Amino acid sequence: MFTIEHEFDATVITLVDEGEDLPLVEDVVITAFEDCVTIDQVDPRSEEVLRITLSLGQLRDLAAALNLPEGSYRLERNPD
């Protein structure tokens, strides 16, 4: 299950782990800003929020990497 919320300066997507497969993990909150994307998840051991920040270039590379075989790649950017 997931939710999408549009806020003033960002879009927030929350991924909820549900189902019968155990163990379930903490929710993941992805916040897309104009210049970066953050990914937050609570560490159940420390109860602290862990955050990863990706630039938009890193996010594009991640999206491309999900569909490629093992290897080293550099994406070419088309000048606009």
mmCIF file of all heavy atoms in Angstrom, residues 7 9-15 27-41 49-56 58-59 62:
data_model
loop_
_atom_site.group_PDB
_atom_site.id
_atom_site.type_symbol
_atom_site.label_atom_id
_atom_site.label_comp_id
_atom_site.label_asym_id
_atom_site.label_seq_id
_atom_site.Cartn_x
_atom_site.Cartn_y
_atom_site.Cartn_z
ATOM 1 N N GLU A 7 2.168 18.557 -1.115
ATOM 2 C CA GLU A 7 2.293 19.658 -0.168
ATOM 3 C C GLU A 7 2.758 20.900 -0.912
ATOM 4 O O GLU A 7 2.985 20.857 -2.119
ATOM 5 C CB GLU A 7 3.268 19.269 0.936
ATOM 6 C CG GLU A 7 2.756 18.079 1.746
ATOM 7 C CD GLU A 7 3.654 17.718 2.904
ATOM 8 O OE1 GLU A 7 4.733 18.324 3.052
ATOM 9 O OE2 GLU A 7 3.272 16.811 3.658
ATOM 10 N N ASP A 9 5.606 22.560 -1.066
ATOM 11 C CA ASP A 9 6.904 22.551 -1.740
ATOM 12 C C ASP A 9 7.411 21.156 -2.090
ATOM 13 O O ASP A 9 8.558 21.001 -2.503
ATOM 14 C CB ASP A 9 7.942 23.264 -0.878
ATOM 15 C CG ASP A 9 8.168 22.576 0.456
ATOM 16 O OD1 ASP A 9 7.328 21.743 0.844
ATOM 17 O OD2 ASP A 9 9.178 22.877 1.114
ATOM 18 N N ALA A 10 6.568 20.130 -1.936
ATOM 19 C CA ALA A 10 7.044 18.771 -2.188
ATOM 20 C C ALA A 10 5.879 17.814 -2.406
ATOM 21 O O ALA A 10 4.750 18.099 -2.029
ATOM 22 C CB ALA A 10 7.877 18.283 -1.002
ATOM 23 N N THR A 11 6.208 16.688 -3.010
ATOM 24 C CA THR A 11 5.284 15.562 -3.098
ATOM 25 C C THR A 11 5.795 14.497 -2.153
ATOM 26 O O THR A 11 6.988 14.167 -2.171
ATOM 27 C CB THR A 11 5.217 15.013 -4.530
ATOM 28 O OG1 THR A 11 4.697 16.031 -5.381
ATOM 29 C CG2 THR A 11 4.321 13.787 -4.612
ATOM 30 N N VAL A 12 4.911 13.951 -1.311
ATOM 31 C CA VAL A 12 5.311 12.968 -0.305
ATOM 32 C C VAL A 12 4.625 11.641 -0.613
ATOM 33 O O VAL A 12 3.397 11.574 -0.696
ATOM 34 C CB VAL A 12 4.936 13.439 1.119
ATOM 35 C CG1 VAL A 12 5.337 12.399 2.145
ATOM 36 C CG2 VAL A 12 5.576 14.790 1.420
ATOM 37 N N ILE A 13 5.441 10.603 -0.775
ATOM 38 C CA ILE A 13 4.933 9.251 -1.015
ATOM 39 C C ILE A 13 5.338 8.401 0.183
ATOM 40 O O ILE A 13 6.509 8.392 0.574
ATOM 41 C CB ILE A 13 5.534 8.659 -2.302
ATOM 42 C CG1 ILE A 13 5.154 9.523 -3.498
ATOM 43 C CG2 ILE A 13 5.078 7.206 -2.489
ATOM 44 C CD1 ILE A 13 5.914 9.192 -4.756
ATOM 45 N N THR A 14 4.373 7.702 0.762
ATOM 46 C CA THR A 14 4.654 6.802 1.878
ATOM 47 C C THR A 14 4.367 5.377 1.437
ATOM 48 O O THR A 14 3.261 5.077 0.969
ATOM 49 C CB THR A 14 3.791 7.154 3.104
ATOM 50 O OG1 THR A 14 4.050 8.516 3.464
ATOM 51 C CG2 THR A 14 4.111 6.244 4.282
ATOM 52 N N LEU A 15 5.378 4.510 1.566
ATOM 53 C CA LEU A 15 5.242 3.094 1.240
ATOM 54 C C LEU A 15 5.025 2.321 2.535
ATOM 55 O O LEU A 15 5.850 2.402 3.444
ATOM 56 C CB LEU A 15 6.500 2.584 0.539
ATOM 57 C CG LEU A 15 6.966 3.376 -0.683
ATOM 58 C CD1 LEU A 15 8.286 2.807 -1.195
ATOM 59 C CD2 LEU A 15 5.914 3.367 -1.763
ATOM 60 N N ASP A 27 7.612 1.835 7.652
ATOM 61 C CA ASP A 27 7.201 2.606 6.481
ATOM 62 C C ASP A 27 8.389 3.376 5.909
ATOM 63 O O ASP A 27 9.292 3.780 6.644
ATOM 64 C CB ASP A 27 6.117 3.622 6.854
ATOM 65 C CG ASP A 27 4.820 2.974 7.291
ATOM 66 O OD1 ASP A 27 4.705 1.736 7.222
ATOM 67 O OD2 ASP A 27 3.917 3.715 7.708
ATOM 68 N N VAL A 28 8.360 3.590 4.595
ATOM 69 C CA VAL A 28 9.362 4.401 3.912
ATOM 70 C C VAL A 28 8.653 5.653 3.405
ATOM 71 O O VAL A 28 7.612 5.560 2.753
ATOM 72 C CB VAL A 28 9.992 3.632 2.729
ATOM 73 C CG1 VAL A 28 10.921 4.526 1.936
ATOM 74 C CG2 VAL A 28 10.713 2.391 3.222
ATOM 75 N N VAL A 29 9.214 6.827 3.723
ATOM 76 C CA VAL A 29 8.629 8.096 3.293
ATOM 77 C C VAL A 29 9.594 8.739 2.294
ATOM 78 O O VAL A 29 10.745 9.021 2.621
ATOM 79 C CB VAL A 29 8.379 9.039 4.487
ATOM 80 C CG1 VAL A 29 7.819 10.365 4.009
ATOM 81 C CG2 VAL A 29 7.453 8.387 5.497
ATOM 82 N N ILE A 30 9.105 8.949 1.066
ATOM 83 C CA ILE A 30 9.890 9.555 0.000
ATOM 84 C C ILE A 30 9.334 10.948 -0.252
ATOM 85 O O ILE A 30 8.146 11.098 -0.545
ATOM 86 C CB ILE A 30 9.809 8.707 -1.279
ATOM 87 C CG1 ILE A 30 10.289 7.286 -0.977
ATOM 88 C CG2 ILE A 30 10.619 9.336 -2.407
ATOM 89 C CD1 ILE A 30 9.896 6.279 -2.022
ATOM 90 N N THR A 31 10.183 11.958 -0.132
ATOM 91 C CA THR A 31 9.761 13.334 -0.325
ATOM 92 C C THR A 31 10.510 13.912 -1.515
ATOM 93 O O THR A 31 11.742 13.973 -1.506
ATOM 94 C CB THR A 31 10.030 14.174 0.933
ATOM 95 O OG1 THR A 31 9.449 13.517 2.067
ATOM 96 C CG2 THR A 31 9.435 15.568 0.815
ATOM 97 N N ALA A 32 9.763 14.298 -2.549
ATOM 98 C CA ALA A 32 10.358 14.847 -3.766
ATOM 99 C C ALA A 32 10.252 16.365 -3.745
ATOM 100 O O ALA A 32 9.152 16.920 -3.778
ATOM 101 C CB ALA A 32 9.657 14.277 -4.993
ATOM 102 N N PHE A 33 11.406 17.029 -3.679
ATOM 103 C CA PHE A 33 11.489 18.479 -3.734
ATOM 104 C C PHE A 33 11.894 18.897 -5.148
ATOM 105 O O PHE A 33 12.133 18.050 -6.010
ATOM 106 C CB PHE A 33 12.520 18.999 -2.722
ATOM 107 C CG PHE A 33 12.166 18.718 -1.293
ATOM 108 C CD1 PHE A 33 12.701 17.615 -0.645
ATOM 109 C CD2 PHE A 33 11.300 19.546 -0.595
ATOM 110 C CE1 PHE A 33 12.387 17.351 0.682
ATOM 111 C CE2 PHE A 33 10.977 19.283 0.723
ATOM 112 C CZ PHE A 33 11.524 18.182 1.364
ATOM 113 N N GLU A 34 12.022 20.183 -5.367
ATOM 114 C CA GLU A 34 12.405 20.696 -6.683
ATOM 115 C C GLU A 34 13.819 20.265 -7.072
ATOM 116 O O GLU A 34 14.107 20.012 -8.230
ATOM 117 C CB GLU A 34 12.319 22.219 -6.669
ATOM 118 C CG GLU A 34 12.658 22.875 -7.977
ATOM 119 C CD GLU A 34 12.487 24.374 -7.931
ATOM 120 O OE1 GLU A 34 11.503 24.859 -7.341
ATOM 121 O OE2 GLU A 34 13.361 25.056 -8.486
ATOM 122 N N ASP A 35 14.728 20.140 -6.082
ATOM 123 C CA ASP A 35 16.129 19.884 -6.385
ATOM 124 C C ASP A 35 16.699 18.585 -5.826
ATOM 125 O O ASP A 35 17.866 18.264 -6.064
ATOM 126 C CB ASP A 35 16.983 21.045 -5.892
ATOM 127 C CG ASP A 35 16.858 21.252 -4.391
ATOM 128 O OD1 ASP A 35 15.902 20.727 -3.784
ATOM 129 O OD2 ASP A 35 17.711 21.958 -3.820
ATOM 130 N N CYS A 36 15.904 17.832 -5.076
ATOM 131 C CA CYS A 36 16.397 16.577 -4.508
ATOM 132 C C CYS A 36 15.227 15.707 -4.052
ATOM 133 O O CYS A 36 14.086 16.147 -4.041
ATOM 134 C CB CYS A 36 17.345 16.827 -3.338
ATOM 135 S SG CYS A 36 16.535 17.513 -1.867
ATOM 136 N N VAL A 37 15.553 14.484 -3.675
ATOM 137 C CA VAL A 37 14.572 13.546 -3.130
ATOM 138 C C VAL A 37 15.153 12.988 -1.844
ATOM 139 O O VAL A 37 16.329 12.604 -1.802
ATOM 140 C CB VAL A 37 14.286 12.401 -4.131
ATOM 141 C CG1 VAL A 37 13.438 11.316 -3.504
ATOM 142 C CG2 VAL A 37 13.622 12.945 -5.381
ATOM 143 N N THR A 38 14.344 12.957 -0.781
ATOM 144 C CA THR A 38 14.795 12.343 0.464
ATOM 145 C C THR A 38 14.003 11.061 0.711
ATOM 146 O O THR A 38 12.829 10.962 0.344
ATOM 147 C CB THR A 38 14.633 13.285 1.673
ATOM 148 O OG1 THR A 38 13.262 13.602 1.849
ATOM 149 C CG2 THR A 38 15.448 14.552 1.501
ATOM 150 N N ILE A 39 14.667 10.097 1.333
ATOM 151 C CA ILE A 39 14.049 8.829 1.688
ATOM 152 C C ILE A 39 14.266 8.642 3.182
ATOM 153 O O ILE A 39 15.414 8.613 3.650
ATOM 154 C CB ILE A 39 14.677 7.658 0.899
ATOM 155 C CG1 ILE A 39 14.555 7.921 -0.603
ATOM 156 C CG2 ILE A 39 14.032 6.333 1.300
ATOM 157 C CD1 ILE A 39 15.383 6.995 -1.461
ATOM 158 N N ASP A 40 13.180 8.555 3.940
ATOM 159 C CA ASP A 40 13.246 8.424 5.396
ATOM 160 C C ASP A 40 12.647 7.099 5.832
ATOM 161 O O ASP A 40 11.635 6.646 5.273
ATOM 162 C CB ASP A 40 12.456 9.539 6.089
ATOM 163 C CG ASP A 40 13.011 10.925 5.827
ATOM 164 O OD1 ASP A 40 14.190 11.045 5.463
ATOM 165 O OD2 ASP A 40 12.250 11.886 6.010
ATOM 166 N N GLN A 41 13.270 6.494 6.848
ATOM 167 C CA GLN A 41 12.724 5.288 7.465
ATOM 168 C C GLN A 41 13.185 5.255 8.917
ATOM 169 O O GLN A 41 14.347 5.572 9.210
ATOM 170 C CB GLN A 41 13.189 4.034 6.731
ATOM 171 C CG GLN A 41 12.536 2.765 7.230
ATOM 172 C CD GLN A 41 12.952 1.552 6.422
ATOM 173 O OE1 GLN A 41 14.112 1.382 6.083
ATOM 174 N NE2 GLN A 41 11.990 0.701 6.107
ATOM 175 N N VAL A 49 15.074 8.385 12.945
ATOM 176 C CA VAL A 49 14.769 8.441 11.516
ATOM 177 C C VAL A 49 16.086 8.485 10.750
ATOM 178 O O VAL A 49 16.942 9.325 11.020
ATOM 179 C CB VAL A 49 13.915 9.679 11.173
ATOM 180 C CG1 VAL A 49 13.722 9.799 9.673
ATOM 181 C CG2 VAL A 49 12.570 9.615 11.881
ATOM 182 N N LEU A 50 16.252 7.558 9.823
ATOM 183 C CA LEU A 50 17.419 7.544 8.949
ATOM 184 C C LEU A 50 17.020 8.197 7.635
ATOM 185 O O LEU A 50 15.948 7.925 7.102
ATOM 186 C CB LEU A 50 17.876 6.106 8.709
ATOM 187 C CG LEU A 50 18.184 5.287 9.959
ATOM 188 C CD1 LEU A 50 18.525 3.862 9.584
ATOM 189 C CD2 LEU A 50 19.320 5.924 10.737
ATOM 190 N N ARG A 51 17.874 9.081 7.110
ATOM 191 C CA ARG A 51 17.543 9.821 5.891
ATOM 192 C C ARG A 51 18.653 9.660 4.862
ATOM 193 O O ARG A 51 19.829 9.771 5.164
ATOM 194 C CB ARG A 51 17.350 11.297 6.190
ATOM 195 C CG ARG A 51 17.164 12.132 4.915
ATOM 196 C CD ARG A 51 16.759 13.539 5.210
ATOM 197 N NE ARG A 51 15.364 13.500 5.643
ATOM 198 C CZ ARG A 51 14.735 14.508 6.204
ATOM 199 N NH1 ARG A 51 15.365 15.633 6.416
ATOM 200 N NH2 ARG A 51 13.473 14.387 6.559
ATOM 201 N N ILE A 52 18.232 9.436 3.627
ATOM 202 C CA ILE A 52 19.116 9.441 2.467
ATOM 203 C C ILE A 52 18.631 10.548 1.553
ATOM 204 O O ILE A 52 17.430 10.670 1.302
ATOM 205 C CB ILE A 52 19.067 8.083 1.730
ATOM 206 C CG1 ILE A 52 19.591 6.966 2.630
ATOM 207 C CG2 ILE A 52 19.834 8.141 0.422
ATOM 208 C CD1 ILE A 52 19.409 5.590 2.056
ATOM 209 N N THR A 53 19.553 11.361 1.052
ATOM 210 C CA THR A 53 19.203 12.426 0.115
ATOM 211 C C THR A 53 19.845 12.123 -1.233
ATOM 212 O O THR A 53 21.046 11.866 -1.308
ATOM 213 C CB THR A 53 19.698 13.800 0.621
ATOM 214 O OG1 THR A 53 19.106 14.048 1.902
ATOM 215 C CG2 THR A 53 19.314 14.907 -0.332
ATOM 216 N N LEU A 54 19.027 12.116 -2.289
ATOM 217 C CA LEU A 54 19.503 11.879 -3.648
ATOM 218 C C LEU A 54 19.312 13.135 -4.476
ATOM 219 O O LEU A 54 18.259 13.785 -4.398
ATOM 220 C CB LEU A 54 18.707 10.746 -4.308
ATOM 221 C CG LEU A 54 18.736 9.376 -3.640
ATOM 222 C CD1 LEU A 54 17.763 8.438 -4.342
ATOM 223 C CD2 LEU A 54 20.128 8.805 -3.663
ATOM 224 N N SER A 55 20.327 13.479 -5.280
ATOM 225 C CA SER A 55 20.140 14.559 -6.245
ATOM 226 C C SER A 55 19.232 14.030 -7.349
ATOM 227 O O SER A 55 19.013 12.820 -7.470
ATOM 228 C CB SER A 55 21.486 14.995 -6.830
ATOM 229 O OG SER A 55 22.008 13.958 -7.661
ATOM 230 N N LEU A 56 18.716 14.925 -8.174
ATOM 231 C CA LEU A 56 17.861 14.471 -9.267
ATOM 232 C C LEU A 56 18.645 13.613 -10.253
ATOM 233 O O LEU A 56 18.105 12.661 -10.827
ATOM 234 C CB LEU A 56 17.212 15.669 -9.955
ATOM 235 C CG LEU A 56 16.274 16.485 -9.058
ATOM 236 C CD1 LEU A 56 15.659 17.628 -9.846
ATOM 237 C CD2 LEU A 56 15.207 15.613 -8.434
ATOM 238 N N GLN A 58 21.147 11.552 -9.424
ATOM 239 C CA GLN A 58 21.240 10.234 -8.795
ATOM 240 C C GLN A 58 19.923 9.477 -8.919
ATOM 241 O O GLN A 58 19.919 8.266 -9.137
ATOM 242 C CB GLN A 58 21.622 10.373 -7.319
ATOM 243 C CG GLN A 58 23.042 10.812 -7.109
ATOM 244 C CD GLN A 58 23.325 11.084 -5.648
ATOM 245 O OE1 GLN A 58 22.570 11.784 -4.972
ATOM 246 N NE2 GLN A 58 24.428 10.544 -5.161
ATOM 247 N N LEU A 59 18.810 10.181 -8.804
ATOM 248 C CA LEU A 59 17.508 9.539 -8.929
ATOM 249 C C LEU A 59 17.308 8.996 -10.346
ATOM 250 O O LEU A 59 16.829 7.880 -10.527
ATOM 251 C CB LEU A 59 16.400 10.528 -8.564
ATOM 252 C CG LEU A 59 14.995 9.960 -8.523
ATOM 253 C CD1 LEU A 59 14.872 8.879 -7.461
ATOM 254 C CD2 LEU A 59 13.991 11.058 -8.283
ATOM 255 N N LEU A 62 19.413 5.882 -10.661
ATOM 256 C CA LEU A 62 18.776 4.769 -9.951
ATOM 257 C C LEU A 62 17.649 4.175 -10.780
ATOM 258 O O LEU A 62 17.545 2.954 -10.918
ATOM 259 C CB LEU A 62 18.247 5.233 -8.593
ATOM 260 C CG LEU A 62 17.438 4.205 -7.796
ATOM 261 C CD1 LEU A 62 18.256 2.957 -7.506
ATOM 262 C CD2 LEU A 62 16.908 4.823 -6.526
#
